[in-house]
Amino acid sequence: AGLSAEGETGVRELSLHILDLAQNAREAGASQVSISIEEAHAADRMTIRIADNGRGMDAATIRRVTDPFFTTRRTRHVGLGIPLAAAAAAQAGGDLSIVSQPGQGTVVTLSYQLSHWDRAPLGDMPATLLAILLGSEAFDVRYMHTVDGSTFSVDSAELRQELGEVPLTHPAVQQWLAEYLAEGESNLWQG
């Protein structure tokens, strides 16, 4: 309370918007979410896309969730997260779009001018992904991050298949996963 959208978006890492949107997908009954980040320096664009197979929304609901003044107890998380993400994108020469229909899931796309001085840093994607991956065993996450043609990806369904009976939440798996995600993200910047 008391935080303006303008005051918070200047410092809020983009990974926190991704975490919010993944949580929205889970709250909308999604069993799968796909997160893609594309950074293209030649085009000076960053695009983040979060697609889910949840309940979806009609046009009136989309208008409500993009309104920063629409907040109810039941939708507070959605009501604040999307307007903040939209403000952060607009501040950095980009925008937010939502494509959704009831029963069809939702696709949220955020775009930014990569070099814009008001673009918040991406933030700690390994920690963000770990939080999303460990949030629910019944929630599959497909993640792909591309930087100028180099790609790192992970698919929780494939990980679970490889692990068999061992859950992602097992301490040894969590440790391995944290290291794997950190190394995968780090390698994107060494090409």
Side-chain angles (χ1 to χ4, degrees), residues 14-185:
L14 301 180
S15 60
L16 296 176
H17 294 297
I18 293 169
L19 185 60
D20 277 349
L21 291 166
Q23 183 60 34
N24 289 351
R26 188 176 282 133
E27 290 171 4
S31 61
Q32 297 177 348
V33 67
S34 172
I35 301 165
S36 67
I37 302 169
E38 184 173 352
E39 298 179 53
H41 288 84
D44 196 25
R45 294 308 294 166
M46 173 188 270
T47 304
I48 298 172
R49 184 177 174 271
I50 296 97
D52 70 59
N53 68 346
R55 281 190 290 281
M57 298 179 279
D58 60 22
T61 303
I62 292 171
R63 281 192 299 277
R64 282 198 311 267
V65 301
T66 57
D67 178 353
F69 300 106
F70 175 75
T71 302
T72 67
R73 214 161 179 60
R74 192 171 73 70
T75 61
R76 178 168 295 147
H77 186 78
V78 174
L80 295 174
I82 289 176
L84 286 175
Q91 260 184 302
D95 64 7
L96 175 142
S97 71
I98 300 174
V99 176
S100 186
Q101 290 183 350
Q104 302 292 315
T106 301
V107 178
V108 177
T109 304
L110 294 156
S111 69
Y112 311 85
Q113 180 184 346
L114 194 54
S115 65
H116 198 288
W117 65 279
D118 265 342
R119 184 184 59 81
L122 183 56
D124 189 347
M125 278 312 299
T128 299
L129 284 170
L130 201 57
I132 295 168
L133 288 165
L134 300 179
S136 171
E137 284 290 321
F139 192 65
D140 281 324
V141 180
R142 279 185 235 119
Y143 173 75
M144 183 168 50
H145 187 172
T146 303
V147 178
D148 296 330
S150 296
T151 299
F152 169 64
S153 64
V154 65
D155 185 331
S156 66
E158 290 176 5
L159 290 174
R160 285 188 184 98
Q161 188 174 356
E162 289 291 320
L163 291 167
E165 297 293 313
V166 182
L168 293 178
T169 54
H170 185 282
V173 174
Q174 283 187 47
Q175 179 65 36
W176 173 83
L177 198 50
E179 292 168 5
Y180 177 74
L181 295 171
E183 183 180 326
E185 284 290 301

